[in-house]
């Protein structure tokens, strides 16, 4: 940091004489700009050079209230009384100098471009700490406002955390924790996602923590995972049907009468398949006759009801429920002719009622997702629980068996539909074993065998490896440790970081009033 220019030095320069070595530091940015100019191009280099000492001051300010509680309390009392005296709330003026010192400190740093340049060059950690305080300070209050104000507050809060010098310490620690997740995921056989989920549940607390620990500690039946998943799937089905009914209201209200041209064309194609130059395919005749009878029945009914988009939608349902849905999947020819007519009816509605296409696309999206979830994860309602449980717990392993995260995406859909703690429960179930899972049992056994062999050879130091190996291979012990770390993070989020920042601001006060004109 550059040597402060003093009042005596300024006087000496004006008189053309040598500058003395003592005097009151000059802090007026305008005067400093003339005597010791600094350009923006100089700021990065000086900031880099002064970063270590600046960060040291930053940390020193945090611990100042702890190491010097009496000095700190005295300083706060004097500054507080100074502001009360300046505001006329109490009589006297003997303490106003302390309030003036604090005001002058911030005015010198942020009251002018020159002051800000110097502060950034000489005390970068302090400046970024101040910026972080401003950017994050209003996040909680602003986030309650609707719309853009709330979004802006979240962005501001993220920016404040990004520039916070405390992240120089916390970010590397976070990286180390993630590396530990992967390492312990291998040694336990539970996978890194389960360990990370345990920590996140501890950090979130409440229902998430309860869901994870209840399964990890075997306080809840493991079958409830499947029960929750199937209940959420049922809710998905009800939501899809409710959305379909709402969106179909516009189609039902459409009085337009549709044409049978495309349907008749489909019937002709069916006849060409069933009859080859007058030779019928006997096995297809019953299907063909049912389909033609349905079309003829619909043509003969009241057009005001049966020829509307809603009426054609009913014809489509009847074709599926009475014919197509009853044909075995292996009977490809029969399914082809019934499917052709089904598509023709659906296409007619889509072509002549634009809202119907959107309604069916949405319903098909939900239906496809639900069918995939039932096929891949939970099975039908009466399917064995064990098979569904194995598939659900597999989401903690990101490999080919889980389609590299596809099953986890399905679980998230179930969570959104009504099982919000499903992942927490699955992670807890994955961590409820004291012994390693899968191939990790073999690896852990090999490590113990080597440790015992070294011990038998007289290497007493191997004794320390045995409990460490056992602990690192135990999903339950690792899960409990990860969850406890998350709980600690939760309390740090709520109280630790705000307390550290408050300590920094409090710790700065003694320096500010003891040397109010110091060049900061």
């Amino acid at each position: 940091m550059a040597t402060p220019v003093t009042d005596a030095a300024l006087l000496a320069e004006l008189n053309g004489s040598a500058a003395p070595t003592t005097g009151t530091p000059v802090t007026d940015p305008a005067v400093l700009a003339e005597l010791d100019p600094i350009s923006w191009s100089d700021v990065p280099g000086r900031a880099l050079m002064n970063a270590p000492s600046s960060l040291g001051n930053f940390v020193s300010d945090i611990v100042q209230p702890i190491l010097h509680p009496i000095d700190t309390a005295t300083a706060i009392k004097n500054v507080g009384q100074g502001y009360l005296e300046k505001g006329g709330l109490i009589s006297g003026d003997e303490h106003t100098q302390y309030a003036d010192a604090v005001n002058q400190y911030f005015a010198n740093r942020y009251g002018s471009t020159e002051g800000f340049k110097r502060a950034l060059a000489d005390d970068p950690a302090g400046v970024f700490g101040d910026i972080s305080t401003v950017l994050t300070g209003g996040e909680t209050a602003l986030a309650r406002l609707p719309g853009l104000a709330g979004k802006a507050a979240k962005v501001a809060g993220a920016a404040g955390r990004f520039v916070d010098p405390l992240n120089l310490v916390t970010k590397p620690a976070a990286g180390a924790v993630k590396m530990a997740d992967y390492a312990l995921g291998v040694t336990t056989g539970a996978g890194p996602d389960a360990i990370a989920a345990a920590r996140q549940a501890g950090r979130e607390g409440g229902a998430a923590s309860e869901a994870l620990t209840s399964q990890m500690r075997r306080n809840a039946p493991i079958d409830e995972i499947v029960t929750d998943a199937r209940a959420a799937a049922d809710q998905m089905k009800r939501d899809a049907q409710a959305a379909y009914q709402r969106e179909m209201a516009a189609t039902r209200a459409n009085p337009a009468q549709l044409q049978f041209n495309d349907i008749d064309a489909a019937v002709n194609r069916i006849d060409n398949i069933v009859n080859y130059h007058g030779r019928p395919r006997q096995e297809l005749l019953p299907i063909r006759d049912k389909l033609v009878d349905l079309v003829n029945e619909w043509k003969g009914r009241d057009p005001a009801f049966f020829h509307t988009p809603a009426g054609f939608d009913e014809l489509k349902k009847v074709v599926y429920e009475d014919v197509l849905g009853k044909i075995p999947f292996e009977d490809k020819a029969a399914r082809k002719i019934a499917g052709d007519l089904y598509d023709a009816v659906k296409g007619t509605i889509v072509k002549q009622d634009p809202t119907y296409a959107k309604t069916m696309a949405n319903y098909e999206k939900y239906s496809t997702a639900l069918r995939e979830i039932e096929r891949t994860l939970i099975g039908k309602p009466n399917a064995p629980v064990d098979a569904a449980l194995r598939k659900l717990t597999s989401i903690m392993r990101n490999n080919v068996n889980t389609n590299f995260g596809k099953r986890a995406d399905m679980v998230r859909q179930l969570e959104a539909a009504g099982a919000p703690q499903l992942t927490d429960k699955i992670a807890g179930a994955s961590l409820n074993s004291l012994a390693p899972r899968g191939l990790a049992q073999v690896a852990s056994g090999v490590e113990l065998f080597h440790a015992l062999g070294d011990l038998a050879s007289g290497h007493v130091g191997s004794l320390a490896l045995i409990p460490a190996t056992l602990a690192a291979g135990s999903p339950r012990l690792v899960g409990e440790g990860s969850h406890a770390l998350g709980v600690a993070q939760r309390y740090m989020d709520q109280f630790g970081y705000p307390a550290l920042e408050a300590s920094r601001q409090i710790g700065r006060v003694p320096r500010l009033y003891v040397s109010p004109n110091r060049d900061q």
Side-chain angles (χ1 to χ4, degrees):
M1 186 179 295
T3 303
V5 179
T6 65
D7 289 338
L10 171 59
L11 190 59
E13 180 167 316
L14 294 176
N15 294 332
S17 59
T21 57
T22 61
T24 304
V26 172
T27 58
D28 187 338
V31 177
L32 288 171
E34 293 184 16
L35 299 180
D36 183 25
I38 178 174
S39 65
W40 279 111
S41 61
D42 297 329
V43 170
R46 285 179 60 165
L48 185 62
M49 181 179 65
N50 292 321
S53 61
S54 175
L55 188 59
N57 287 335
F58 186 90
V59 176
S60 175
D61 290 338
I62 292 175
V63 300
Q64 166 75 21
I66 301 172
L67 298 180
H68 305 285
I70 297 177
D71 291 345
T72 300
T74 302
I76 294 174
K77 178 182 73 69
N78 289 336
V79 172
Q81 284 184 302
Y83 279 113
L84 291 175
E85 290 171 358
K86 288 177 71 68
L89 298 177
I90 61 175
S91 60
D93 60 0
E94 61 270 24
H95 298 93
T96 57
Q97 59 178 317
Y98 303 120
D100 290 338
V102 175
N103 292 343
Q104 188 62 44
Y105 171 80
F106 286 104
N108 289 340
R109 288 169 73 94
Y110 307 117
S112 66
T113 302
E114 182 66 25
F116 179 67
K117 283 193 295 184
R118 290 183 176 280
L120 192 59
D122 296 340
D123 186 22
V127 170
F128 281 116
D130 291 339
I131 293 173
S132 173
T133 302
V134 173
L135 289 180
T136 59
E139 180 185 6
T140 304
L142 285 178
R144 296 176 181 174
L145 298 177
L148 293 178
K151 294 179 181 178
K154 292 182 183 297
V155 173
R161 289 187 290 274
F162 176 77
V163 301
D164 192 343
L166 286 173
N167 285 332
L168 291 174
V169 178
T170 59
K171 288 297 183 183
V177 169
K178 288 184 179 180
M179 291 179 63
D181 287 346
Y182 283 100
L184 294 172
V186 173
T187 59
T188 60
D193 289 346
I195 297 168
R199 187 175 64 258
Q200 181 57 36
R203 190 171 191 176
E204 184 177 338
S209 180
E210 173 62 25
L212 181 127
T213 55
S214 67
Q215 287 295 332
M216 182 170 66
R217 297 168 186 171
R218 299 178 184 267
N219 294 331
I222 197 169
D223 291 359
E224 77 173 10
I225 295 175
V226 178
T227 302
D228 288 356
R230 287 178 174 170
D234 289 341
Q235 187 60 48
M236 284 181 65
K237 186 181 299 182
R238 289 192 293 271
D239 290 344
Q241 291 171 344
Y244 172 77
Q245 293 300 329
R246 287 194 304 270
E247 294 173 1
M248 275 296 294
T251 296
R252 295 191 185 99
N254 186 352
Q257 295 185 16
L258 308 184
Q259 301 300 315
F260 281 82
N261 296 345
D262 292 342
I263 297 174
D264 290 337
V267 170
N268 289 334
R269 290 193 297 273
I270 291 171
D271 284 337
N272 290 334
I273 292 174
V274 173
N275 295 282
Y276 180 74
H277 293 288
R279 179 186 179 278
R281 297 176 61 178
Q282 296 296 333
E283 71 279 8
L284 297 180
L285 282 176
I287 303 296
R288 180 265 178 198
D289 291 343
K290 284 184 180 181
L291 296 173
V292 172
D293 288 346
L294 282 173
V295 171
N296 290 335
E297 177 192 352
W298 239 255
K299 286 181 177 180
R301 290 189 176 274
D302 187 351
F305 296 102
F306 288 85
H307 297 184
T308 62
F312 271 45
D313 181 64
E314 185 64 22
L315 173 60
K316 185 195 72 172
K317 292 178 184 177
V318 172
V319 168
Y320 182 84
E321 293 171 0
D322 290 1
V323 185
L324 180 59
K326 295 180 179 180
I327 301 174
F329 281 96
E330 58 272 17
D331 194 347
K332 295 186 178 358
R335 289 188 66 83
K336 176 177 173 54
I337 61 176
D340 193 3
L341 183 65
Y342 177 90
D343 291 340
V345 176
K346 178 181 176 181
T348 298
I349 309 173
V350 169
K351 186 185 298 183
Q352 300 180 56
D353 186 339
T355 63
Y356 185 78
K358 180 181 177 181
T359 300
M360 293 310 299
N362 290 338
Y363 186 73
E364 184 63 26
K365 180 183 71 174
Y366 280 112
S367 299
T368 300
L370 186 58
R371 285 195 299 270
E372 188 67 13
I373 287 172
E374 288 183 342
R375 183 184 69 83
T376 307
L377 280 183
I378 62 176
K380 296 293 183 180
N382 58 348
V385 171
D386 289 347
L389 188 59
R390 284 195 299 271
K391 292 176 180 179
L392 284 164
T393 54
S394 73
I395 70 165
M396 293 298 155
R397 296 185 296 277
N398 188 14
N399 55 28
V400 67
N401 293 325
T402 65
N403 199 11
F404 296 105
K406 182 64 175 177
R407 288 186 180 180
D409 291 339
M410 295 178 184
V411 167
R412 282 190 282 272
Q413 292 181 58
L414 292 173
E415 288 181 320
Q421 264 63 63
L422 187 57
T423 296
D424 297 317
K425 292 182 179 182
I426 292 172
S430 300
L431 296 168
N432 67 7
S433 171
L434 286 173
R437 295 188 177 279
L439 294 177
Q441 290 184 346
V442 178
S444 181
V446 171
E447 288 297 323
L448 286 175
F449 179 79
H450 284 308
L452 291 172
D454 291 341
L455 183 61
S457 301
H459 295 89
V460 181
S462 298
L463 277 173
L465 295 177
I466 295 175
T469 300
L470 290 173
S474 171
R476 172 66 184 276
L477 293 179
V478 170
E480 291 284 4
S482 184
H483 178 263
L485 178 59
V487 173
Q489 286 180 300
R490 171 163 32 109
Y491 286 112
M492 194 66 179
D493 291 340
Q494 292 174 350
F495 308 110
Y497 294 119
L500 288 176
E501 179 54 33
S503 295
R504 183 175 80 88
Q505 296 297 343
I506 292 172
R508 299 167 87 179
V509 173
R511 292 196 296 112
L512 301 185
Y513 92 87
V514 169
S515 181
N517 293 318
R518 175 181 170 186
D519 175 24
Q520 300 289 345

